[in-house]
Amino acid sequence: MAIERTLSILKPDALEKGAIGKIIARFEAAGLKPVAIRLQHLSQAEAEGFYAVHKERGFFKDLVKFMTSGPVVIQVLEGENAVLKNRDLMGATDPKKATPGTIRADFATSIDANTVHGSDSLENAKNEISYFFRQTELTHYEWKK
Ligand code: CMP
């Protein structure tokens, strides 16, 4: 299986609940390593730019308001099949529909305050990673064959 990178954001509700350690532990336990990690309070322009694909959607304004309501943790995760693995760990976008045991089922309270974001494809992962991180900020691991 291929080693991939994906972008992961722990949203303001994750920090508000004091849950970032517990959430990051799940990624580590699943074999996803952080190759870059940063705490940041997004500006309105940064949040709007990141979620630009959703700008025509009815939920865009609320999404940007929530994502700028407090600091977030932005990280790049690396590992086998990282894009899909991260999405499996997160669970469905709407926590009411998320499988028990997933991050959103266990921590999220609503579709807006849904605790985590993860890239939905390898192509989007590349774009999302470069939106937040320069090449020189990404660590390189030696993966055992
Ligand atoms: P995220 O994975 O960060 O990507 C876009 C976000 O928009 C999503 O998680 C949700 O938090 C939020 N959102 C709010 N309403 C909807 C909706 N109806 N469909 C998809 N995403 C939504």
Side-chain angles (χ1 to χ4, degrees):
M1 230 178 266
I3 298 291
E4 296 174 351
R5 286 176 171 174
T6 191
L7 189 89
S8 161
I9 302 179
L10 310 192
K11 298 189 178 187
D13 59 311
L15 282 86
E16 180 71 29
K17 291 187 183 91
I20 59 174
K22 287 183 200 143
I23 295 169
I24 290 174
R26 293 188 182 203
F27 295 131
E28 290 185 315
L32 296 176
K33 291 175 184 286
V35 301
I37 188 160
R38 180 164 74 232
L39 187 78
Q40 185 173 334
H41 196 145
L42 297 176
S43 67
Q44 183 165 334
E46 285 164 345
E48 284 176 352
F50 181 71
Y51 281 119
V53 287
H54 296 304
K55 68 174 184 290
E56 306 302 335
R57 308 287 297 271
F59 58 80
F60 183 67
K61 224 171 136 207
D62 285 342
L63 172 62
V64 169
K65 195 170 172 204
F66 179 68
M67 291 301 287
T68 56
S69 67
V72 297
V73 171
I74 309 166
Q75 54 177 351
V76 177
L77 298 173
E78 184 177 282
E80 277 184 4
N81 217 9
V83 173
L84 198 62
K85 196 179 270 185
N86 181 33
R87 290 186 69 80
D88 286 346
L89 291 168
M90 292 194 303
T93 306
D94 182 351
K96 290 200 273 311
K97 296 181 185 149
T99 305
T102 59
I103 294 167
R104 283 167 170 160
D106 291 348
F107 296 99
T109 50
S110 69
I111 197 164
D112 286 311
N114 68 349
T115 313
V116 276
H117 166 83
S119 311
D120 63 3
S121 68
L122 201 52
E123 193 191 345
N124 284 341
K126 290 196 175 106
N127 294 333
E128 291 182 1
I129 290 167
S130 64
Y131 185 78
F132 283 119
F133 294 99
R134 297 190 303 271
Q135 269 300 318
T136 51
E137 294 176 299
L138 305 174
T139 307
H140 288 275
Y141 284 113
E142 292 291 328
W143 288 89
K144 291 190 190 82
K145 296 254 159 68

